[in-house]
Amino acid sequence: MASYLPNHATLTFTHHPTPLSLSPYAPHPPTTLPSLCRACTPPCVLNPLLFNGHLQTIWTATTATDIPIHYKRHVFRAADPPFAGTFAVDFVVPAYNVPSDATLPSRTTHYTQREYDALGGADDETPMVVVLHGLSGGSHESYLRAALQPLVAAGWAACVVNARGCAMSAITTGVLYNARATWDVRQVVGWCRARWPRRELFGLGFSLGANILVNYLGEEGERCVLKAAVVCSNPWNLEVGSLALQRTWVGREVYSRTMGTSMKQLFETHVEQIAKNPRVNVEKVRGITYLHEFDRELQGPTWGYPTEGAYYRDASSSDSLLAVRVPLFAIHAEDDPIAVKEGVPYEEFKQTPYAVLCTTSRGGHLSWFESGGTRWFAKPISQFLIKMATEVDKIEPPKGPTGRSAESVDKDKYAPSFIPMRRRLQLHFDP
């Protein structure tokens, strides 16, 4: 569709030249990952009054769309000692009369012990999606509920892993979350696999949660038990994104200041617990204005990074993409003012058959508002996941290595090797 029309965005797909083959359930025909992604993606026709990324993104912050997703919450205790603490997971449940509780987000209550114990069923084959939200967000976010709505209507199960301290959850140790905090989602996915061994599990991540999800997929590699995943508005290269925000007045004074303020408010909510961490200077954190300053004064000291740049480079998911070994569909707007276009790893998408990138010329950050207030991205997200669950039996792994690293002559015993998941952060735990 012509992009010069104010409400029609151009769709572009980027992927490996040799597509990943997908074996179907009968009676569906064989297909490939790029073909499936294209089939799941409708024309992108957006609200003509929101004609650029800024207007789309600001509309997200100023519009309260009521999408009635109901949750029951369970608080998990971290199983991995280096990441000690608790985190809250909100499970989607049928609508119910929610008692008023000022300590929880709307339409959310805690599972009773009896309700929690009743979860399970070795024969339950309901497809399930594990969702990660964006920076300082949670299960209550409207963009997240917009994506869940069609899946829930199709009979899917779902849960949202709230980052520690988010969605009115408590922080019980000095261990917070960061852009590569994969430990909680790893525990939840493992718990779901043990609880429902016959369910097919899928992943869905938004913004910072998308970055975390791709890092998780890369760390798991061929061991990953998710059947497929979708990421939306992933910042990918955090250092590039941070520098882009600092480069312009709007980026710095609108987006970075807003996100910095949001994180500072989250910090103040939990300052009593966070202040117990001897690495954190509370007054320096309170003095920040912008997001990169918050990361400099809190994330860096908390995790041992010398600068925010070192943290960004280590936590970015652009390299992790090359280690993903399950079908991954990435959706991104080229006019996203937060997860900027220059941070999108176009060339890396061309080097892996396991991922497909769909970019739209318009849409903003986690926005894509259509006329009437609905969000376009909910359609390709839900259709991709539903088709992967109902039409695709398994993937056919490529024969032999893929990507540029495989192009070296195998007779050369000194051929270089690139390891995408080599990380600089090392955690040392003394029990």
Side-chain angles (χ1 to χ4, degrees):
M1 190 66 70
S3 63
Y4 57 80
L5 296 175
N7 60 336
H8 288 75
T10 299
L11 297 172
T12 304
F13 292 85
T14 304
H15 54 81
H16 193 276
T18 304
L20 184 70
S21 297
L22 305 176
S23 297
Y25 293 119
H28 302 287
T31 188
T32 65
L33 181 58
S35 296
L36 184 71
C37 292
R38 289 177 182 273
C40 296
T41 307
C44 186
V45 183
L46 304 179
N47 188 328
L49 300 179
L50 306 175
F51 51 83
N52 63 35
H54 296 299
L55 292 173
Q56 282 277 346
T57 303
I58 292 171
W59 195 250
T60 300
T62 58
T63 303
T65 304
D66 185 36
I67 301 174
I69 299 292
H70 290 69
Y71 298 103
K72 289 280 188 176
R73 173 169 291 188
H74 180 71
V75 177
F76 286 78
R77 184 166 296 280
D80 199 346
F83 310 113
T86 59
F87 59 96
V89 180
D90 293 338
F91 293 82
V92 176
V93 297
Y96 64 101
N97 292 323
V98 184
S100 178
D101 188 342
T103 67
L104 291 172
S106 63
R107 298 192 179 95
T108 305
T109 58
H110 287 280
Y111 272 122
T112 65
Q113 190 60 48
R114 178 176 294 181
E115 290 171 332
Y116 177 75
D117 291 341
L119 291 173
D123 296 327
D124 187 344
E125 297 183 348
T126 306
M128 183 174 188
V129 61
V130 178
V131 188
L132 302 182
H133 59 78
L135 181 74
S136 74
S139 60
H140 58 282
E141 297 288 356
S142 59
Y143 62 79
L144 188 151
R145 289 182 285 122
L148 282 180
Q149 187 177 42
L151 293 169
V152 173
W156 279 51
C159 70
V160 182
V161 182
N162 294 300
R164 299 189 188 192
C166 293
M168 304 177 77
S169 64
I171 290 178
T172 55
T173 69
V175 178
L176 311 176
Y177 73 97
N178 64 34
R180 55 162 299 195
T182 58
W183 35 88
D184 291 344
V185 66
R186 178 173 292 105
Q187 181 173 335
V188 171
V189 170
W191 180 89
C192 289
R193 168 54 64 236
R195 198 91 181 194
W196 299 291
R198 294 181 64 85
R199 281 186 177 182
E200 289 186 331
L201 303 177
F202 300 82
L204 173 58
F206 296 94
S207 193
L208 188 74
N211 189 81
I212 294 171
L213 181 58
V214 174
N215 279 333
Y216 164 75
L217 297 175
E219 288 172 359
E220 294 297 293
E222 295 180 352
R223 304 185 308 272
C224 186
V225 301
L226 298 181
K227 186 175 182 180
V230 183
V231 291
C232 190
S233 298
N234 187 355
W236 294 106
N237 188 319
L238 303 180
E239 186 172 39
V240 166
S242 177
L243 294 175
L245 288 176
Q246 296 175 54
R247 190 180 305 133
T248 66
W249 184 91
V250 172
R252 183 178 61 256
E253 299 300 332
V254 177
Y255 300 117
S256 184
R257 179 186 286 267
T258 299
M259 290 186 288
T261 299
S262 176
M263 292 305 294
K264 191 159 63 170
Q265 290 171 345
L266 188 66
F267 169 81
E268 288 293 349
T269 301
H270 305 285
V271 66
E272 184 176 349
Q273 185 65 51
I274 297 173
K276 296 177 182 179
N277 188 332
R279 292 174 174 265
V280 175
N281 185 318
V282 171
E283 294 309 313
K284 283 189 175 182
V285 178
R286 284 175 169 163
I288 70 97
T289 300
Y290 307 110
L291 180 60
H292 67 276
E293 294 175 335
F294 178 86
D295 292 333
R296 176 187 302 157
E297 301 299 346
L298 185 67
Q299 296 288 30
T302 297
W303 299 102
Y305 292 109
T307 65
E308 70 271 26
Y311 161 54
Y312 293 150
R313 290 187 293 274
D314 197 41
S316 293
S317 60
S318 48
D319 285 348
S320 302
L321 174 65
L322 297 171
V324 173
R325 291 297 179 267
V326 299
L328 175 66
F329 187 25
I331 302 170
H332 204 97
E334 293 179 336
D335 66 354
D336 189 324
I338 296 173
V340 295
K341 179 181 178 180
E342 61 197 275
V344 178
Y346 289 93
E347 292 303 315
E348 281 76 8
F349 273 97
K350 296 176 185 178
Q351 293 293 321
T352 173
Y354 290 92
V356 171
L357 170 67
C358 171
T359 54
T360 62
S361 57
R362 295 177 175 86
H365 188 70
L366 297 175
S367 302
W368 288 280
F369 283 101
E370 302 169 308
S371 297
T374 55
R375 300 193 193 222
W376 171 83
F377 69 73
K379 299 173 184 176
I381 288 174
S382 59
Q383 286 304 305
F384 174 80
L385 293 174
I386 289 171
K387 282 182 176 290
M388 283 297 305
T390 60
E391 298 182 13
V392 176
D393 181 15
K394 59 183 179 179
I395 67 172
E396 295 292 340
K399 296 180 180 179
T402 60
R404 185 168 298 153
S405 61
E407 295 174 2
S408 57
V409 180
D410 42 12
K411 293 181 180 179
D412 183 2
K413 63 180 179 179
Y414 300 110
S417 175
F418 178 73
I419 303 174
M421 296 314 300
R422 182 182 288 130
R423 295 300 194 190
R424 295 175 178 85
L425 175 64
Q426 301 294 323
L427 293 178
H428 305 283
F429 175 67
D430 294 323

